[in-house]
Amino acid sequence: MNRRLTTWTAALALAVSGVAAAQEQATVLKRDGSRVSGRFEAWNRNNNSLYLRLSLADQRIIPVGEVAVLEVGGNADNLPANEIEAARGGDHVLVMRSGDIVRGRLENIEGGEGSGTDGVRQLAFKANEGPERRARFSDVRRLYFGNFPSSLGSGTATTLPAAVPDEPAVPPGAVRVGANARWVN
């Protein structure tokens, strides 16, 4: 009996971890500069909010009006200058893992674990020029929600500068923060 209970417990743990693994890791960079990372669950169009699951007991509901960028599978740092410039206008900007950059408007995010429907999570995006584009959510790198705040990026990629040869090495446990860096994790 004990062995059967252990087998069922292991099977349940695998099933639960499989559901969590099926959800996409995502990071929301908010317009105030703060970040929220977790498993993407849904975009609720009724209240225009994104739902991220940080833990079993912690689900964050983030109004889209507070969102500057949604990055799938990353932590929304090192944003490329060409993407930031494209996102300064009122259009949403979709950046695919293939490198394609499309301006337009997010229409829908549907399917996938946590959405209440079966199937692969997909994003529907209406390009300014051309037909609606549908893509697997996992093929999306970033989605900018337009009017990118100037306080979050200067229009150049936000990376730390390389070490200067004459500077002493950074001691263990210390962090080097470049003068041009807006955020250091």
Side-chain angles (χ1 to χ4, degrees):
M1 183 67 167
N2 238 357
R3 182 180 174 116
R4 185 175 289 165
L5 181 61
T6 303
T7 302
W8 278 104
T9 304
L12 180 60
L14 282 173
V16 169
S17 67
V19 168
Q23 293 177 330
E24 297 85 358
Q25 184 70 25
T27 297
V28 168
L29 173 60
K30 295 172 71 176
R31 294 185 184 280
D32 66 4
S34 63
R35 285 177 170 71
V36 180
S37 293
R39 299 276 179 195
F40 184 87
E41 288 192 327
W43 172 35
N44 183 328
R45 291 175 18 162
N46 293 331
N47 68 4
N48 202 24
S49 296
L50 300 179
Y51 288 68
L52 290 180
R53 176 69 59 184
L54 280 60
S55 69
L56 188 58
D58 189 0
Q59 179 188 53
R60 300 292 169 92
I61 302 170
I62 306 166
V64 169
E66 295 178 11
V67 178
V69 182
L70 170 66
E71 182 163 351
V72 180
N75 59 5
D77 63 355
N78 298 325
L79 302 174
N82 63 327
E83 293 177 16
I84 291 173
E85 285 308 311
R88 293 232 190 264
D91 293 333
H92 292 171
V93 177
L94 174 65
V95 180
M96 302 298 296
R97 294 202 180 279
S98 66
D100 291 347
I101 298 176
V102 183
R103 291 180 186 197
R105 185 69 48 200
L106 175 65
E107 295 287 321
N108 200 8
I109 300 173
E110 59 194 16
E113 294 294 331
S115 67
T117 63
D118 292 331
V120 175
R121 188 177 320 277
Q122 291 191 3
L123 180 139
F125 193 83
K126 176 65 175 126
N128 287 344
E129 298 176 12
E132 179 181 88
R133 183 173 184 157
R134 298 188 69 75
R136 289 175 159 256
F137 195 71
S138 58
D139 291 337
V140 172
R141 180 169 310 240
R142 283 181 279 278
L143 177 63
Y144 293 82
F145 284 86
N147 300 313
F148 193 83
S150 59
S151 62
L152 291 181
S154 61
T156 60
T158 55
T159 58
L160 292 177
V164 177
D166 294 339
E167 280 187 16
V170 177
V175 176
R176 180 184 309 266
V177 179
N180 66 341
R182 299 233 181 242
W183 175 264
V184 174
N185 195 0

